[in-house]
């Protein structure tokens, strides 16, 4: 729904910005692009006909204003832009995921061109590349033997802080693997696309993808240099899609207790503004692939490192 109130000449620039931020288009403005998936997709929250209507409305509303996307924690497993690519799959097995993001200035509603967008996430087993030695979600390898005897004192080294993969300080990589990580630039419409696989899960977190947006840098032969990080966030999946993915290998072999979207301590619970993706897939054949899209409203002049 669009706020049709028009600011008067007497209103300040700040008031105009507030009005722009209150103008929200919940359906998003990035049309789903079918890439290599040969079936008719039904939206996870509606029928195929409804999905077509939504895509048409999204196309017609290109350039509409959005709310500012929530800033969230970076997590411990970010590796700075050393893989400039759109296909981040490498040899990882899983449901094909085609991710389309549109990055806009939340104040002016204009697309952010030539921004660098990073994504990274765990594989179907909950492992992050670069941190394989740390195990699922960076939690390490559990001990092989159970403790014996009875405790004689109160433990003094109980774990504290957020669950694995949530907040906390940055961890140095343990290996040279870089699957399911990549950086690419937005086009003149603010769009950027990635080919990956549907993420798995690990203890303490719901299914998610990490994302960063960098602005005011320069693309050179060596990659993206300079600039600053204007957005750090996470992208989330609704429970219907996750439950369907859990019936498909290799996800079905992931026996780790899964945290639901509602149980997650990092998802802000505010829908697309908090990173909840719009999804399209065949409910009866999700293994064929999933299309995900979202518009990220950012403040290009701000620094948000997560």
């Amino acid at each position: 729904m669009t706020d049709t109130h028009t600011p008067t000449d007497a209103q300040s620039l700040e008031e105009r910005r507030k009005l722009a931020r209150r103008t929200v288009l919940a359906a998003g403005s990035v049309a789903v692009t079918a890439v290599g998936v040969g079936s008719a997709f039904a939206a996870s929250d509606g029928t195929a006909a409804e999905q077509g209507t939504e895509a048409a409305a999204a196309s017609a509303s290109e350039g509409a204003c959005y709310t500012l996307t929530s800033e969230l924690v970076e997590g411990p497993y970010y590796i700075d832009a050393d893989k400039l690519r759109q296909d981040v799959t490498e040899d990882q097995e899983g449901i094909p995921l085609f991710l389309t993001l549109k990055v806009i200035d939340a104040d002016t509603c204009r697309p952010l061109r030539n921004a660098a967008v990073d994504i990274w996430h765990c594989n179907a087993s909950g492992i992050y590349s670069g941190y394989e030695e740390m195990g699922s979600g960076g939690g390490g390898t559990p001990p092989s033997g159970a403790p014996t005897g009875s405790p004689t004192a109160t433990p003094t080294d109980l774990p504290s802080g957020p669950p694995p993969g949530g907040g906390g300080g940055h961890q140095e990589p343990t290996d040279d693997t870089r699957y399911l990580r990549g950086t690419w630039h937005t086009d003149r419409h603010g769009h950027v696309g990635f080919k990956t696989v549907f993420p798995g899960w690990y203890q303490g977190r719901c299914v998610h993808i990490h994302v960063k947006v960098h602005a005011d840098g320069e693309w050179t032969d060596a990659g993206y240099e300079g600039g600053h990080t204007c957005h750090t966030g996470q992208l989330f999946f609704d429970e219907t899609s996750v439950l369907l993915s859990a019936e498909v290998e290799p996800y079905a072999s992931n026996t780790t207790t899964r945290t639901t979207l509602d149980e997650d301590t990092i998802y802000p619970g505010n829908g697309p503004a908090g990173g909840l993706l719009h999804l399209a897939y065949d409910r009866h054949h999700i293994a064929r692939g999933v299309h995900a899209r979202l518009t990220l409203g950012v403040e290009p002049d701000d620094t948000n490192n997560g």
Side-chain angles (χ1 to χ4, degrees), residues 18 33 60 66 96 111 146 175 184-185 195 206 212 221 243 253 271 297:
K18 289 180 179 179
T33 303
Y66 282 70
D175 54 74
W184 200 248
H185 58 83
K195 179 182 178 182
C206 67
K212 277 183 179 285
D221 292 340
L243 288 172
S253 296

Side-chain angles (χ1 to χ4, degrees), residues 223-269:
Y224 188 78
E225 299 179 353
H228 63 280
T229 303
C230 65
H231 174 70
T232 300
Q234 298 185 25
L235 310 175
F236 300 93
F237 297 78
D238 62 52
E239 281 297 298
T240 300
S241 64
V242 175
L243 288 172
L244 288 173
S245 75
E247 298 176 0
V248 178
E249 289 293 351
Y251 308 91
S253 296
N254 186 348
T255 59
T256 303
T257 300
R258 187 177 63 83
T259 298
T260 68
L261 185 67
D262 289 340
E263 293 169 340
D264 191 79
T265 58
I266 292 176
Y267 172 56

Side-chain angles (χ1 to χ4, degrees), residues 73-178:
V73 294
E74 175 188 283
Y77 311 121
Y78 175 62
I79 300 175
D80 190 19
D82 63 349
K83 286 291 184 181
L84 303 179
R85 58 187 181 179
Q86 291 180 277
D87 187 345
V88 304
T89 309
E90 293 192 17
D91 59 350
Q92 293 300 300
E93 297 181 356
I95 298 168
L97 177 68
F98 306 97
L99 174 65
T100 302
L101 301 173
K102 180 176 181 179
V103 185
I104 67 167
D105 184 321
D107 283 338
T108 67
C109 308
R110 294 176 180 173
L112 198 60
R113 305 179 181 184
N114 288 321
V117 179
D118 302 324
I119 66 164
W120 70 103
H121 62 86
C122 70
N123 64 10
S125 300
I127 305 294
Y128 281 92
S129 65
Y131 299 88
E132 289 188 339
E133 292 181 16
M134 302 181 72
S136 178
T141 303
S144 57
T148 59
S150 301
T152 58
T154 302
T156 58
D157 59 348
L158 292 176
S160 60
H170 176 72
Q171 300 290 322
E172 289 301 314
T174 63
D175 54 74
D176 294 329
T177 59
R178 294 295 185 269

Side-chain angles (χ1 to χ4, degrees), residues 213-217 224 226-231 299-305:
V213 179
H214 310 273
D216 296 332
Y224 188 78
H228 63 280
T229 303
C230 65
H231 174 70
E299 292 183 326
D301 297 331
D302 285 3
T303 296
N304 292 295
N305 291 319

Side-chain angles (χ1 to χ4, degrees), residues 195-218:
K195 179 182 178 182
T196 183
V197 298
F198 201 98
W201 58 88
Y202 50 90
Q203 187 174 2
R205 287 303 316 278
C206 67
V207 175
H208 64 283
I209 294 175
H210 294 267
V211 61
K212 277 183 179 285
V213 179
H214 310 273
D216 296 332
E218 181 180 1

Side-chain angles (χ1 to χ4, degrees), residues 2 11 24 32 35 67 111 121-122 157 183 203 205 209 254 272-273 284 292 298 306:
T2 302
Q11 288 177 305
V24 179
V32 176
V35 183
T67 54
H121 62 86
C122 70
D157 59 348
T183 302
Q203 187 174 2
R205 287 303 316 278
I209 294 175
N254 186 348
H284 301 291
V298 305

